[in-house]
């Protein structure tokens, strides 16, 4: 995608989507119903994309949208809002019942939110920030979000190594 769209601002966006409350579908209606809901989520997301965009289920109830050339943060937000709306429509289940779900969505835009190797991680961090606030919306990545995920683990490892190497001293003054 980068070879095609280049490295201009907002040349690519990654949307990380996690369904809110999906576990209850499997527990209440069975895994066959849950599988059908996941297939329908994929169809709905595909219907919201344009030529050149990609949709992928990355596991469980998590999906990625790769948006080529959204052009701006506003356009990426508009596409995120469309996806949220599409996924909130009722899902028919075997036996005539239906279920309604919402989702939490995180957005990372290249190159503003980091190198391509970090976009999925950053979109995931933004999605978790949405989950912590109750879900059913989207958020753009903010660098402070990174400290709550893998960066925090890296910092802990660095601090432990510093202690082992005698590079850290602790002083306490009441």
């Amino acid at each position: 995608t980068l070879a095609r769209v280049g490295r201009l601002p907002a040349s690519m966006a990654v949307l990380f989507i996690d369904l809110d409350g999906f576990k209850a579908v499997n527990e209440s209606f069975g895994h066959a119903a849950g599988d059908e809901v996941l297939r329908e989520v994929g169809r709905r997301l595909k219907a919201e994309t344009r030529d050149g965009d990609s949709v992928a289920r990355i596991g469980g109830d998590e999906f990625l949208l790769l948006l080529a050339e959204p052009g701006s943060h506003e356009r990426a937000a508009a596409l995120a809002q469309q996806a949220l709306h599409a996924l909130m429509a009722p899902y028919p289940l075997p036996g005539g019942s239906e279920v309604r779900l919402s989702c939490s969505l995180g957005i990372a835009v290249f190159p503003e939110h980091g190198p391509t190797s970090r976009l999925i991680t950053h979109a995931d961090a933004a999605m978790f920030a949405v989950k912590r606030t109750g879900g059913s919306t989207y958020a753009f990545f903010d660098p402070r979000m990174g400290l709550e995920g893998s960066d925090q683990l890296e910092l802990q490892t660095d601090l432990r190594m510093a202690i082992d190497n005698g590079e850290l001293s602790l002083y306490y003054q009441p």
Side-chain angles (χ1 to χ4, degrees):
T1 300
L2 278 180
R4 185 168 36 92
V5 301
R7 297 178 174 273
L8 297 173
S11 58
M12 182 172 61
V14 173
L15 281 61
F16 196 109
I17 302 165
D18 185 78
L19 299 177
D20 300 328
F22 177 74
K23 183 178 177 186
V25 173
N26 278 338
E27 291 174 351
S28 300
F29 300 100
H31 288 279
D35 290 347
E36 184 51 42
V37 168
L38 292 174
R39 283 190 285 276
E40 180 60 22
V41 167
R43 286 189 287 269
R44 291 180 188 186
L45 290 175
K46 184 65 178 160
E48 295 300 322
T49 59
R50 307 158 298 156
D51 288 340
D53 295 341
S54 299
V55 178
R57 177 175 170 234
I58 58 171
D61 62 343
E62 296 177 330
F63 292 80
L64 285 179
L65 291 182
L66 172 65
L67 305 177
E69 299 183 279
S72 67
H73 287 238
E74 291 78 15
R75 179 68 181 132
L79 291 166
Q81 190 63 47
Q82 285 175 238
L84 285 168
H85 183 72
L87 297 179
M88 288 169 47
Y91 294 87
L93 297 174
S97 57
E98 67 180 25
V99 67
R100 290 181 180 263
L101 297 172
S102 62
C103 64
S104 298
L105 199 151
I107 307 170
V109 179
F110 178 82
E112 294 92 322
H113 296 142
T116 56
S117 62
R118 302 288 294 166
L119 283 183
I120 293 174
T121 302
H122 289 170
D124 185 28
M127 182 275 299
F128 272 110
V130 169
K131 281 262 190 219
R132 282 192 297 277
T133 63
S136 195
T137 191
Y138 67 88
F140 282 91
F141 173 74
D142 181 285
R144 291 170 289 189
M145 293 173 180
L147 289 175
E148 297 169 8
S150 62
D151 291 343
Q152 186 175 14
L153 182 60
E154 186 178 331
L155 177 62
Q156 290 174 359
T157 301
D158 289 346
L159 286 170
R160 285 190 180 98
M161 286 177 50
I163 291 169
D164 292 344
N165 296 333
E167 299 168 341
L168 181 70
S169 299
L170 179 62
Y171 297 91
Y172 174 73
Q173 180 178 349

